[in-house]
Amino acid sequence: MSDHAEVMKGIHQYPGIRYPVLTPNLQGFHHAVCVLCAGLSIRGKHYAAKSDRSKIHLQPLWLTVSKRLYGMGCYEIALGDTTGVGTPGSMKRMLESVMKEIPPAALAVHCHDTYGQALANILTALQMGINVVDSSVSGLGGCPYAKGASGNVATEDLIYMLHGLGVDTGVNLCKVMEAGDFICKAVNKTTNSKVAQASFNA
């Protein structure tokens, strides 16, 4: 989280693509504004007024304040299972509840794979009309607020599932696996992607 300003300055940003960053405090928010981030993932309502003045879109994560934040003008509300304990059943119940107040077009899901339920949860969300999903190459990452939580669902596994459903993602799965392999070697980690493991061991 602390190096998003350097990352944003160092990458080539393509037109029409959002590059969201997580800003868990006001200092991080200001740093993100300075590098003109188009999408910010925040924690807490006190950023809303500032974001309106800065013309920055917000992507809050707290389910408990989803309705209030939507009313404040947040364009996208990401419902996050950062501990990875959710199941398709709980995902369905959560979305049914939230969608009574917020349209599916304004919702996204952020599923970690601690209990191996991320893809099943995402499929449930897709079937309910959600079309924005967070993922992480090689499933890297974790949750600093939940000890033992694994990373976000692997991008490679998500793409493989979407392609199997006939969804044209426009993403080259082989290239993503290559990127994941490069990153894992660079940080000395083992990929959490089942698709990558199966492909490299084939």
Side-chain angles (χ1 to χ4, degrees):
M1 298 180 191
S2 64
D3 63 351
H4 64 260
E6 289 78 10
V7 172
M8 296 300 290
K9 290 176 182 177
I11 64 175
H12 176 76
Q13 297 188 39
Y14 291 90
I17 304 296
R18 294 199 308 265
Y19 297 86
V21 297
L22 179 62
T23 61
N25 55 47
L26 200 55
Q27 180 180 353
F29 177 84
H30 286 306
H31 287 168
V33 170
C34 288
V35 292
L36 301 177
C37 295
L40 297 176
S41 180
I42 64 165
R43 296 178 184 275
K45 66 180 182 181
H46 56 286
Y47 300 106
K50 291 180 179 293
S51 70
D52 182 62
R53 292 195 296 270
S54 304
K55 303 304 180 184
I56 298 294
H57 296 297
L58 301 182
Q59 184 183 17
L61 297 176
W62 286 350
L63 174 60
T64 54
V65 293
S66 295
K67 180 181 177 181
R68 187 169 182 180
L69 288 169
Y70 181 66
M72 293 164 66
C74 293
Y75 82 104
E76 182 177 285
I77 300 177
L79 305 171
D81 177 17
T82 54
T83 56
V85 299
T87 65
S90 61
M91 172 65 78
K92 183 175 184 292
R93 290 190 294 272
M94 176 184 68
L95 289 176
E96 285 176 338
S97 176
V98 174
M99 288 165 63
K100 291 178 181 178
E101 307 290 345
I102 302 171
L107 296 174
V109 293
H110 179 101
C111 301
H112 284 231
D113 203 34
T114 311
Y115 286 81
Q117 300 293 296
L119 282 178
N121 293 339
I122 290 170
L123 179 58
T124 297
L126 293 174
Q127 291 172 335
M128 296 181 70
I130 306 301
N131 59 20
V132 178
V133 177
D134 292 338
S135 65
S136 171
V137 172
S138 295
L140 296 175
C143 179
Y145 312 104
K147 187 176 180 179
S150 69
N152 200 209
V153 64
T155 302
E156 299 92 321
D157 298 355
L158 176 60
I159 294 171
Y160 183 83
M161 182 183 76
L162 291 174
H163 288 177
L165 290 170
V167 176
D168 183 8
T169 65
V171 178
N172 187 316
L173 177 56
C174 291
K175 293 294 185 181
V176 176
M177 287 195 291
E178 289 176 6
D181 184 54
F182 172 82
I183 294 170
C184 286
K185 288 177 178 176
V187 299
N188 195 29
K189 296 283 187 179
T190 301
T191 181
N192 290 315
S193 166
K194 299 296 186 183
V195 170
Q197 290 172 11
S199 298
F200 291 137
N201 293 326

